[in-house]
């Protein structure tokens, strides 16, 4: 069975969404081949005739999943004999915590990236992005991005629990990567694709962890344009 991923794109085809990256890594982990269709922010409401507010949207045979975590749960149910994404029910619960931490980090990491993302979009999508993000941040994008050194330092500080954990084990999942690793890896891949900030620079433990993920999912991570 091949999967199909509606994958968030910049105007030049670069695929940016951290949640789409987490979904693609989960598919790769389970050995499910997939193709992608580029979707701009403004295309999301029209995916498959409507009904979705966010991507990834993933078609798996006759079924459609509109959430990266739900996708990972479904893959775990459908392919129990392949490499695990959760290592049991406790792993699912703990991955939800990691997902919450990823959402928190996304907010922190995005401040220094938000103008680069805006500038990478086509004009129609820029207008949507500016309005929706200014509503989210409650201030103009230029103000959000005004103090990048401070924002980057604050994002790096917020990564401390992950850095401490990676002193003790090769992956967030332990000896092997789990979906928790993919939730966080999606953020670093997003930053890499956008290119405005190198959050791995000077972070030895994080950089070594990301490179271990590249050893396993290099083909997936290299397809930055789908
Ligand atoms: N819980 C969702 C969140 C996905 C999500 O927030 N995706 C963002 C892109 S990173 C999105 O589609 N945003 C649409 C928008 O802002 O209009 C998941 O994990 O799949």
């Amino acid at each position: 069975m091949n999967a199909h991923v509606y994958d968030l794109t910049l105007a030049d085809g670069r695929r940016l969404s951290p949640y789409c990256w987490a979904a693609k890594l989960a598919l790769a982990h389970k050995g499910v081949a997939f193709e992608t269709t580029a979707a701009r922010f403004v295309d999301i409401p029209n995916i498959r005739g409507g009904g979705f507010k966010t991507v990834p949207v993933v078609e798996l045979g006759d079924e459609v999943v509109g959430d990266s975590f739900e996708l990972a749960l479904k893959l775990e149910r459908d392919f129990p004999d392949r490499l695990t994404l959760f290592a049991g029910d406790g792993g699912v619960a703990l991955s939800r915590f990691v997902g919450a931490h990823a959402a928190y980090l996304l907010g922190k990491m995005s401040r220094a990236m938000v103008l680069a993302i805006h500038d990478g979009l086509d004009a129609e999508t820029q207008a949507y992005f500016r309005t929706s993000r200014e509503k989210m941040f409650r201030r103009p994008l230029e103000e959000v991005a005004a103090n990048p050194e401070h924002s980057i330092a604050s994002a790096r500080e917020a990564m401390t629990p992950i850095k401490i954990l990676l002193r003790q084990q090769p992956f967030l999942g332990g000896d092997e990567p789990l979906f928790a690793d993919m939730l966080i890896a999606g953020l670093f891949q997003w930053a890499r694709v956008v290119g405005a900030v190198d959050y791995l620079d000077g972070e030895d433990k994080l950089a070594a962890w990301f490179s271990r993920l590249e050893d396993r999912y290099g083909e997936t991570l290299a397809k930055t344009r789908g």
Side-chain angles (χ1 to χ4, degrees):
M1 178 187 53
N2 270 27
H4 193 107
V5 181
Y6 292 86
D7 195 6
L8 194 68
T9 191
L10 291 170
D12 65 3
R14 276 177 295 152
R15 307 300 171 85
L16 72 157
S17 159
Y19 294 104
C20 291
W21 281 112
K24 290 183 284 182
L25 289 169
L27 287 164
H29 187 76
K30 284 292 187 183
V32 177
F34 60 87
E35 290 161 0
T36 68
T37 295
R40 302 171 303 160
F41 279 102
V42 292
D43 297 326
I44 295 173
N46 300 320
I47 289 174
R48 290 182 53 92
F52 297 100
K53 290 190 173 145
T54 60
V55 283
V57 172
V58 182
E59 296 169 349
L60 276 164
D62 294 341
E63 295 183 69
V64 188
V65 187
D67 179 85
S68 60
F69 207 105
E70 288 304 316
L71 172 74
L73 290 172
K74 178 170 171 49
L75 291 171
E76 192 77 342
R77 276 196 307 274
D78 291 356
F79 304 105
D81 298 333
R82 300 191 187 173
L83 291 179
T84 181
L85 284 163
F86 294 104
D89 291 345
V92 172
L94 288 172
S95 299
R96 296 221 183 262
F97 171 75
V98 175
H101 186 60
Y104 168 71
L105 267 182
L106 186 151
K108 294 248 172 206
M109 292 169 75
S110 69
R111 290 171 176 268
M113 293 166 56
V114 79
L115 281 183
I117 295 172
H118 173 271
D119 293 349
L121 301 168
D122 62 276
E124 180 191 2
T125 314
Q126 276 183 349
Y128 165 78
F129 184 79
R130 178 175 286 281
T131 308
S132 61
R133 268 49 190 179
E134 291 191 346
K135 201 168 159 194
M136 220 177 260
F137 285 111
R138 296 202 197 97
R139 67 194 64 172
L141 294 187
E142 286 69 17
E143 268 182 41
V144 175
N147 195 342
E149 292 80 13
H150 174 81
S151 301
I152 292 167
S154 169
R156 285 180 186 273
E157 174 77 25
M159 293 166 194
T160 303
I162 300 171
K163 294 186 249 184
I164 292 173
L165 184 61
L166 290 174
R167 280 186 214 145
Q168 299 159 33
Q169 56 194 55
F171 296 103
L172 306 190
D175 288 335
E176 296 296 327
L178 295 175
F179 188 56
D181 290 88
M182 293 156 204
L183 285 165
I184 300 296
L187 295 170
F188 287 97
Q189 177 76 350
W190 162 61
R192 255 175 24 149
V193 167
V194 172
V197 185
D198 186 352
Y199 281 110
L200 292 176
D201 185 39
E203 303 285 1
D204 295 355
K205 294 290 172 206
L206 280 173
W209 161 78
F210 197 85
S211 120
R212 283 193 284 277
L213 293 174
E214 281 186 304
D215 290 344
R216 290 166 191 245
Y217 314 114
E219 209 181 309
T220 302
L221 291 166
K223 286 190 182 161
T224 55
R225 285 166 201 267

